[in-house]
Amino acid sequence: MIAEIGRFALSLALALVLAQMLCALIGTRRDSAVWEALSRRAAALVFVSLAASFACLITVFVQSDFSVENVFMNSHSAKPLGYKIAGAWGSHEGSMVMWCAGLAGYSAALAHFYRGPLATRALIAAGGVLVLFLVFTIFASNPFDRMSPVPLEGRGLNPLLQDPALAAHPPLLYLGLTGLLAPFALSVAALWRGRSGKEWAQAARPWTLAAFTALTVGITLGSYWAYYELGWGGWWFWDPVENASLMPWLLTAALLHSLVVSAGRNALTGWSLFLSISAFSLAMLGLFLTRSGVLTSVHAFALDPRRGVLLLSILAVAGGGALALFALRAPQIFKDKVKFDPVSREGALILNNALLTMAAAIVLLGTLYPLILRTASGDDVAVGGPYFELTVGPVMALALLILPVAPFLRWRQGGWGEVRRRLLYGGIGALAALAGIILIARDAPLGAAVTAALAVWVMAGALSDFATQRRQPGTLGRGLAHFGVGLFLLGAAGDTGFSIERSTALTRGESFEAAGRTVTLETVRRADGANYLADEGVLTVTGAGRQFQMTPERRYFPTADQTTTEVALRRSLLGDYYVALGQARERENGEIAWVIRASNHPLVWMVFAGAFLTAAGGLVSTGSHVRRRRRAS
């Protein structure tokens, strides 16, 4: 019964969004407030219907209703309640309902909070995108499809996904990705109406800030999960699916800086429109990459080329249609020229935009190149970390050099006077950090030293910005976000440049040295959970005048026939001490030895704290912008 209600709610949402578009279209043609009001109410009902459908999906997972094929494929009666709920979005079909609910939520919010001249056209654009995805979900990926005969037990959720951070990661990531619908819809509406000036940019800015904030948190949670769950000790692998979320994040960051010029100076409007369309198009491209099977990743939801073709078609219709409209309006958009000095705030923001966009393009090329080569010649090639570090790294380093400079440059008029006064000590500190690391830690990679120097430069700029301009609107949010970027860089420099790792096989009572500490394997004991069997290592770690125990685990999930690693972490302000339990090996004398990998990760907590601080800056800026708009209206 619950599944049928959920299926009906999906179909009802499709009918309601078509009604929303029709009412908005009539309201636009007749300039009728009544029809416009009906379209706004329909948008709210669409969200209610999809929220009800998603609630029904969660309910059948909680009930372990294995007559629903999606529940059978992604749940198990012995699974803890929290992961039963997470199973609702841990599959391709369930995640598509969540995606549609996110799109509908932003469409309803846009209808409620924005009443400007672009409102009805934006609702039509948002509704058109939602129609495409609802048709795909209902007819190609319905999560309420039944199966017969009804199995007695399910297959269970992927064990790698049974983790608190990853349970929260997809909803927050989707909240960010679907949030890009709002600036996308406003852009289409502005192009359709033929008026894309300052008013459009002011309307798009808070929605872009909200999407950026949620997207930052979502990506950070996924990175943190990879760090402590996968057992390899890193927090970014340049995995294709990681890149699929990084690309729209880079373009959204560029869009935020571009909108500062468009909303405040009525310039770069065409470029801002292009970025808003491209950012959401890359979000849709990410759906294709994670669901088509063209790329292999632990993050991928499905391996179905047929559905991949349909998602690619949606991208072509929605993204391609918006870009075609952009090309049609281009002569009108770029007609007005706003003059400004190259050494001005506009000039710095344009250069920042160009570098962020270039970085996104490089990531896109590296992500899609293996797919293009395989399609063209049948050859397989892997593009990994070295490519991205050598290409994206220098581009982002230049962008970070500019980041603290822009707030101290004047609009339109050139001049370095204020920059020199406000950033002198920051520059001296950055050079001192660079020279100190090179002279003291001679074995450290040059890249880590440069990254640390950039971190000092960015953080000093953020502090100076807040100290000198704290009374100006939006300075607190900007300062928090930029300081968070600097903190992230400092953590990245410490972890990538100074971490030490060692692994060996130990029997009970044996020890080895790793990162300045002595690790002794005391025993390996059973520590079974509700739906898994586990070997738990008990290790004593001694060093730096301290002794403590660490208990990493190796878990086996019988339902999925899969093994996962649960690392043990000892956290401090200086960094993490990280221990993972590997496979058991039998020695020649018959003793069982366990592979132990131990490593230190200096300042790694700053990576995640900095990212969350950047998101907090986005949240503060969103609230500040909304309050200013309310006072102005």
Side-chain angles (χ1 to χ4, degrees), residues 461-487:
L463 292 174
S464 181
D465 180 22
F466 179 71
T468 57
Q469 305 185 71
R470 59 183 178 271
R471 294 185 179 180
Q472 293 186 14
T475 303
L476 176 59
R478 183 176 68 205
L480 283 174
H482 289 181
F483 190 86
V485 170
L487 194 64

Short mmCIF file of all heavy atoms in Angstrom, two decimals, residues 461-487:
data_model
loop_
_atom_site.label_atom_id
_atom_site.label_comp_id
_atom_site.label_asym_id
_atom_site.label_seq_id
_atom_site.Cartn_x
_atom_site.Cartn_y
_atom_site.Cartn_z
N GLY A 461 45.37 37.85 4.24
CA GLY A 461 44.49 38.73 3.48
C GLY A 461 43.08 38.75 4.02
O GLY A 461 42.45 39.82 4.08
N ALA A 462 42.57 37.57 4.44
CA ALA A 462 41.21 37.52 4.98
C ALA A 462 41.11 38.31 6.29
O ALA A 462 40.13 39.03 6.52
CB ALA A 462 40.81 36.06 5.21
N LEU A 463 42.11 38.17 7.16
CA LEU A 463 42.10 38.90 8.42
C LEU A 463 42.19 40.41 8.18
O LEU A 463 41.51 41.19 8.84
CB LEU A 463 43.26 38.43 9.30
CG LEU A 463 43.16 37.00 9.84
CD1 LEU A 463 44.44 36.61 10.57
CD2 LEU A 463 41.95 36.84 10.76
N SER A 464 43.06 40.81 7.25
CA SER A 464 43.19 42.24 6.95
C SER A 464 41.91 42.79 6.34
O SER A 464 41.49 43.91 6.65
CB SER A 464 44.37 42.44 5.99
OG SER A 464 44.53 43.81 5.70
N ASP A 465 41.27 42.00 5.49
CA ASP A 465 40.01 42.42 4.87
C ASP A 465 38.95 42.68 5.93
O ASP A 465 38.28 43.71 5.92
CB ASP A 465 39.56 41.32 3.90
CG ASP A 465 38.26 41.67 3.19
OD1 ASP A 465 37.93 42.87 3.10
OD2 ASP A 465 37.58 40.74 2.71
N PHE A 466 38.84 41.74 6.87
CA PHE A 466 37.82 41.91 7.91
C PHE A 466 38.16 43.08 8.83
O PHE A 466 37.28 43.85 9.23
CB PHE A 466 37.69 40.63 8.73
CG PHE A 466 36.69 40.73 9.83
CD1 PHE A 466 35.33 40.78 9.55
CD2 PHE A 466 37.08 40.80 11.15
CE1 PHE A 466 34.39 40.89 10.56
CE2 PHE A 466 36.16 40.91 12.18
CZ PHE A 466 34.81 40.95 11.87
N ALA A 467 39.43 43.23 9.16
CA ALA A 467 39.83 44.29 10.09
C ALA A 467 39.60 45.68 9.51
O ALA A 467 39.23 46.61 10.24
CB ALA A 467 41.31 44.12 10.47
N THR A 468 39.80 45.84 8.22
CA THR A 468 39.71 47.17 7.61
C THR A 468 38.35 47.49 7.01
O THR A 468 38.00 48.65 6.83
CB THR A 468 40.77 47.33 6.51
OG1 THR A 468 40.60 46.30 5.54
CG2 THR A 468 42.17 47.22 7.09
N GLN A 469 37.56 46.45 6.69
CA GLN A 469 36.29 46.69 6.01
C GLN A 469 35.12 46.00 6.72
O GLN A 469 34.11 45.68 6.09
CB GLN A 469 36.37 46.19 4.56
CG GLN A 469 37.54 46.79 3.79
CD GLN A 469 37.54 46.39 2.34
OE1 GLN A 469 36.69 46.83 1.57
NE2 GLN A 469 38.49 45.54 1.95
N ARG A 470 35.25 45.76 8.03
CA ARG A 470 34.25 44.96 8.74
C ARG A 470 32.88 45.60 8.77
O ARG A 470 31.89 44.92 9.00
CB ARG A 470 34.72 44.67 10.16
CG ARG A 470 34.98 45.89 11.02
CD ARG A 470 35.51 45.47 12.40
NE ARG A 470 35.80 46.62 13.24
CZ ARG A 470 36.96 47.23 13.27
NH1 ARG A 470 37.93 46.82 12.48
NH2 ARG A 470 37.16 48.27 14.10
N ARG A 471 32.80 46.89 8.58
CA ARG A 471 31.49 47.56 8.61
C ARG A 471 30.75 47.48 7.29
O ARG A 471 29.59 47.85 7.21
CB ARG A 471 31.67 49.01 9.03
CG ARG A 471 32.17 49.19 10.47
CD ARG A 471 32.22 50.65 10.87
NE ARG A 471 32.68 50.79 12.25
CZ ARG A 471 32.81 51.94 12.87
NH1 ARG A 471 32.51 53.07 12.22
NH2 ARG A 471 33.24 51.99 14.13
N GLN A 472 31.44 47.04 6.25
CA GLN A 472 30.78 46.92 4.95
C GLN A 472 29.96 45.63 4.90
O GLN A 472 30.37 44.60 5.45
CB GLN A 472 31.80 46.93 3.83
CG GLN A 472 32.54 48.25 3.67
CD GLN A 472 33.44 48.26 2.47
OE1 GLN A 472 33.35 47.39 1.61
NE2 GLN A 472 34.32 49.25 2.41
N PRO A 473 28.79 45.65 4.23
CA PRO A 473 27.96 44.45 4.15
C PRO A 473 28.69 43.30 3.47
O PRO A 473 29.39 43.48 2.48
CB PRO A 473 26.75 44.91 3.31
CG PRO A 473 26.79 46.39 3.33
CD PRO A 473 28.21 46.80 3.53
N GLY A 474 28.53 42.11 4.02
CA GLY A 474 29.08 40.92 3.38
C GLY A 474 30.53 40.64 3.71
O GLY A 474 31.06 39.60 3.30
N THR A 475 31.20 41.53 4.44
CA THR A 475 32.63 41.33 4.71
C THR A 475 32.87 40.12 5.61
O THR A 475 33.83 39.38 5.42
CB THR A 475 33.23 42.59 5.35
OG1 THR A 475 33.02 43.70 4.48
CG2 THR A 475 34.72 42.42 5.57
N LEU A 476 32.02 39.91 6.62
CA LEU A 476 32.21 38.79 7.53
C LEU A 476 32.15 37.46 6.79
O LEU A 476 33.02 36.61 6.97
CB LEU A 476 31.16 38.83 8.64
CG LEU A 476 31.18 37.65 9.62
CD1 LEU A 476 32.54 37.56 10.31
CD2 LEU A 476 30.07 37.76 10.65
N GLY A 477 31.13 37.29 5.96
CA GLY A 477 31.01 36.04 5.20
C GLY A 477 32.18 35.83 4.27
O GLY A 477 32.73 34.72 4.18
N ARG A 478 32.58 36.88 3.58
CA ARG A 478 33.72 36.79 2.66
C ARG A 478 35.00 36.45 3.43
O ARG A 478 35.79 35.59 3.00
CB ARG A 478 33.89 38.10 1.92
CG ARG A 478 35.01 38.10 0.89
CD ARG A 478 35.03 39.42 0.14
NE ARG A 478 35.42 40.54 0.99
CZ ARG A 478 35.07 41.81 0.77
NH1 ARG A 478 34.30 42.11 -0.25
NH2 ARG A 478 35.49 42.77 1.57
N GLY A 479 35.19 37.11 4.59
CA GLY A 479 36.39 36.86 5.39
C GLY A 479 36.44 35.43 5.90
O GLY A 479 37.50 34.78 5.86
N LEU A 480 35.31 34.92 6.38
CA LEU A 480 35.26 33.53 6.86
C LEU A 480 35.57 32.55 5.74
O LEU A 480 36.35 31.59 5.93
CB LEU A 480 33.88 33.23 7.44
CG LEU A 480 33.55 33.76 8.84
CD1 LEU A 480 32.10 33.50 9.18
CD2 LEU A 480 34.46 33.11 9.88
N ALA A 481 34.96 32.77 4.58
CA ALA A 481 35.17 31.86 3.45
C ALA A 481 36.62 31.87 3.01
O ALA A 481 37.23 30.80 2.80
CB ALA A 481 34.25 32.25 2.29
N HIS A 482 37.22 33.04 2.88
CA HIS A 482 38.61 33.12 2.43
C HIS A 482 39.57 32.58 3.49
O HIS A 482 40.56 31.91 3.15
CB HIS A 482 38.96 34.56 2.07
CG HIS A 482 38.29 35.04 0.83
ND1 HIS A 482 38.48 36.31 0.32
CD2 HIS A 482 37.44 34.43 -0.03
CE1 HIS A 482 37.77 36.45 -0.79
NE2 HIS A 482 37.12 35.32 -1.02
N PHE A 483 39.30 32.84 4.77
CA PHE A 483 40.15 32.29 5.82
C PHE A 483 40.04 30.77 5.83
O PHE A 483 41.03 30.07 6.05
CB PHE A 483 39.75 32.85 7.19
CG PHE A 483 40.72 32.53 8.28
CD1 PHE A 483 41.82 33.34 8.50
CD2 PHE A 483 40.56 31.41 9.08
CE1 PHE A 483 42.75 33.04 9.50
CE2 PHE A 483 41.47 31.10 10.08
CZ PHE A 483 42.57 31.91 10.29
N GLY A 484 38.83 30.25 5.58
CA GLY A 484 38.65 28.80 5.49
C GLY A 484 39.46 28.19 4.36
O GLY A 484 40.03 27.10 4.51
N VAL A 485 39.54 28.88 3.23
CA VAL A 485 40.38 28.40 2.12
C VAL A 485 41.83 28.33 2.55
O VAL A 485 42.54 27.35 2.26
CB VAL A 485 40.21 29.33 0.89
CG1 VAL A 485 41.24 28.98 -0.18
CG2 VAL A 485 38.81 29.20 0.32
N GLY A 486 42.30 29.36 3.26
CA GLY A 486 43.68 29.36 3.74
C GLY A 486 43.95 28.24 4.73
O GLY A 486 44.99 27.57 4.67
N LEU A 487 42.99 28.01 5.64
CA LEU A 487 43.14 26.92 6.61
C LEU A 487 43.18 25.57 5.91
O LEU A 487 43.97 24.68 6.27
CB LEU A 487 41.99 26.98 7.61
CG LEU A 487 42.14 26.14 8.89
CD1 LEU A 487 43.31 26.64 9.72
CD2 LEU A 487 40.84 26.18 9.70
#
